[in-house]
Amino acid sequence: MDSVVISIGGSVLVPNENDADYLKTLAGLLSRISSIHKLYIVTGGGRIARYYITSGRVLGASEKNLDEFGIEVTRLNARLLSTALGDLANPKPALNIDEATELGKNHQIVVMGGTEPGHTTDAVSAMLADKIGAARLVNATSVDGVYDSDPKKNKDAKRFKRVSHEELVALTSEIKGMAGPTVIFDPKGSEIIKNAKIPLYVCHGRDLGALENAVLGKDFDGTIVD
Ligand code: UTP
């Protein structure tokens, strides 16, 4: 049975728009797919992580402490998703890649958030995909694919159907140079999947049809990076 890692942005899980309804439907979808693929899900922090990071920064917390705030929130989001998944998933998020790998022996779905300061959950999902030899990594995010510039800022941004790992690395490091949190995939994560030659499927996480097809490796509305 192939394994698939899914990185779900916090901006998708908890944007404050019917979040419980969405989580319930998402959990139903993941439960069905888990009879076909072993699933490893890494949850992001979203607006709640940003709230703690912004407030903590004003209060004088160190960057390491701010990252730790973010990690706590990603793990809280993982628990919320685990709750919706019930017995199929581990109730408490795996704390690191090794623990997630271990949990995969007894659970059809493994859920985790962040691990340690210095990167985002995209990088965690890339490390996990590399460790378990995933067939693919799906990035369920708040845009519907990889664009040549940020589509939330530039209405003329062009979406790619398919790009190479090298192009993704170039795109993410360019955006990183411009600063700001909206990077389609963490530059560190991009480098890891390039070296490990793991295909990345990028889709909108609230488009459950696209997400299902991406996880199943079928034609989907989004971008393939390989
Ligand atoms: P996210 O993975 O949600 O970061 O982790 P993000 O990409 O900035 O957020 P989205 O995708 O737009 O929702 C939130 C924060 O938690 C810390 C980082 O500070 C990160 O920005 N974090 C997370 C870590 O330090 N280590 C981790 O392994 C994960």
Side-chain angles (χ1 to χ4, degrees):
M1 183 185 269
D2 277 347
S3 297
V4 179
V5 176
I6 310 173
S7 174
I8 305 193
S11 50
V12 171
L13 283 176
V14 287
N16 215 2
E17 290 161 23
N18 306 319
D19 298 342
D21 288 349
Y22 168 75
L23 282 164
K24 209 170 183 176
T25 316
L26 173 68
L29 173 82
L30 297 173
S31 303
R32 271 192 288 116
I33 302 180
S34 71
S35 61
I36 305 167
H37 295 300
K38 180 151 286 219
L39 299 179
Y40 293 81
I41 301 165
V42 185
T43 54
R47 72 191 161 84
I48 303 173
R50 276 193 293 281
Y51 167 80
Y52 280 96
I53 290 170
T54 308
S55 306
R57 188 170 280 128
V58 172
L59 295 170
S62 67
E63 288 302 310
K64 179 168 173 279
N65 280 338
L66 294 174
D67 278 351
E68 286 164 355
F69 286 177
I71 293 168
E72 296 285 345
V73 175
T74 62
R75 289 177 176 163
L76 194 57
N77 284 342
R79 287 189 83 142
L80 196 60
L81 179 60
S82 288
T83 304
L85 287 165
D87 293 340
L88 281 174
N90 50 309
K92 288 189 184 167
L95 301 180
N96 53 51
I97 304 292
D98 287 344
E99 204 180 313
T101 309
E102 257 329 282
L103 284 166
K105 293 176 185 163
N106 304 313
H107 292 84
Q108 207 44 37
I109 305 180
V110 176
V111 180
M112 73 183 295
T115 53
E116 56 196 45
H119 50 234
T120 73
T121 48
D122 287 342
V124 173
S125 67
M127 289 180 230
L128 183 55
D130 187 13
K131 175 81 191 275
I132 61 164
R136 64 195 149 272
L137 167 53
V138 176
N139 186 25
T141 184
S142 58
V143 290
D144 60 358
V146 180
Y147 285 76
D148 60 356
S149 64
D150 185 347
K152 288 176 182 165
K153 292 180 191 147
N154 175 12
K155 66 174 174 48
D156 296 323
K158 186 177 146 284
R159 185 171 71 152
F160 300 110
K161 189 71 199 148
R162 193 164 209 142
V163 294
S164 66
H165 282 121
E166 287 74 15
E167 284 168 315
L168 179 74
V169 168
L171 274 171
T172 52
S173 50
E174 239 172 64
I175 297 169
K176 190 191 172 199
M178 280 161 52
T182 33
V183 188
I184 190 68
F185 202 69
D186 178 303
K188 184 172 173 182
S190 303
E191 200 65 50
I192 294 169
I193 56 164
K194 182 185 84 146
N195 293 334
K197 297 185 172 59
I198 296 167
L200 173 70
Y201 288 37
V202 182
C203 65
H204 198 299
R206 290 250 165 178
D207 178 350
L208 291 172
L211 178 58
E212 175 165 8
N213 285 334
V215 175
L216 292 173
K218 294 182 178 170
D219 190 35
F220 73 106
D221 187 20
T223 303
I224 293 182
V225 182
D226 61 1

